[in-house]
Amino acid sequence: MDKIANEQLGRLSNEEFKIAPKLPIAIVLDQVRSLHNVGSVFRSADAFRVSEICLCGITATPPHREINKTALGATDSVAWKYFETTEAAIQQLKEKGFIIIAIEQTFSAISLQAFTWDKEKKYAFVFGHEMDGVSDAALALSDFSIVIDQHGTKHSLNIAVCAGIVLYTASQAILTS
């Protein structure tokens, strides 16, 4: 079995990526403190051609050496904007017609596998602080909360892993619906 070389993958250049159609998905990082997590989310956003990332509060912004370690250049391809508050980011996304979905364990959360996707709608996923989760203010502005079913002893996933799972699931559902 032979590996495919990077140049054989036919990937888009940064310039091609910027003008290529995007999935109707935005990401909101609500007070995410780990620069490596921020970089990993950028990389996943590039992989699934997400329309934009909103970096909020204490979430660090590019350019930053620690973000670049895991983003591997995705900060140059994915559109992003900084907001002082997550509420401001969510309000702007709502004005653009996005459905706001907190990725959080709540009493009203819908399982990621059970959520009904509509390719005609736009979704913004809110991922929260590594220890505190999505803020109460962001939850109050969210239309839904989604939870990833887990079966082990830990109560949560790393935010970068969580974002990858959610983006993959949403992209497959939207592209095949």
Side-chain angles (χ1 to χ4, degrees):
M1 187 175 320
D2 295 329
K3 284 190 202 178
I4 300 172
N6 284 343
E7 52 277 356
Q8 295 172 307
L9 291 172
R11 300 290 188 204
L12 300 175
S13 68
N14 283 346
E15 293 74 29
E16 292 168 326
F17 182 94
K18 288 177 182 178
I19 61 173
K22 307 294 184 293
L23 283 178
I25 294 173
I27 296 171
V28 177
L29 296 185
D30 177 21
Q31 309 289 342
V32 174
R33 66 187 163 114
S34 166
L35 295 132
H36 293 142
N37 281 336
V38 173
S40 291
V41 170
F42 264 96
R43 194 164 163 192
S44 293
D46 178 281
F48 295 107
R49 227 187 277 177
V50 165
S51 66
E52 62 187 294
I53 298 178
C54 301
L55 306 170
C56 307
I58 66 167
T59 307
T61 62
H64 195 287
R65 185 174 151 244
E66 294 301 310
I67 292 173
N68 291 341
K69 276 185 180 180
T70 50
L72 295 180
T75 56
D76 296 328
S77 57
V78 178
W80 64 272
K81 185 174 181 184
Y82 175 77
F83 294 84
E84 284 191 31
T85 68
T86 304
E87 299 89 332
I90 290 173
Q91 189 57 43
Q92 187 176 97
L93 290 166
K94 281 183 175 253
E95 290 169 8
K96 293 180 181 180
F98 281 86
I99 295 170
I100 310 301
I101 301 176
I103 309 303
E104 185 60 82
Q105 298 165 345
T106 68
F107 287 108
S108 60
I110 301 166
S111 167
L112 178 62
Q113 297 305 319
F115 189 80
T116 303
W117 303 95
D118 182 343
K119 70 177 179 180
E120 302 302 320
K121 296 189 177 175
K122 300 189 293 188
Y123 300 98
F125 301 117
V126 183
F127 298 94
H129 183 274
E130 290 86 347
M131 296 301 294
D132 301 326
V134 174
S135 65
D136 291 340
L139 282 174
L141 294 171
S142 297
D143 299 303
F144 299 98
S145 62
I146 284 180
V147 65
I148 298 171
D149 296 330
Q150 299 170 49
H151 309 287
T153 62
K154 301 302 173 203
H155 68 293
S156 66
L157 294 167
N158 174 279
I159 180 179
V161 172
C162 183
I165 292 168
V166 170
L167 292 174
Y168 175 78
T169 303
S171 69
Q172 293 304 298
I174 291 167
L175 292 171
T176 60
S177 64

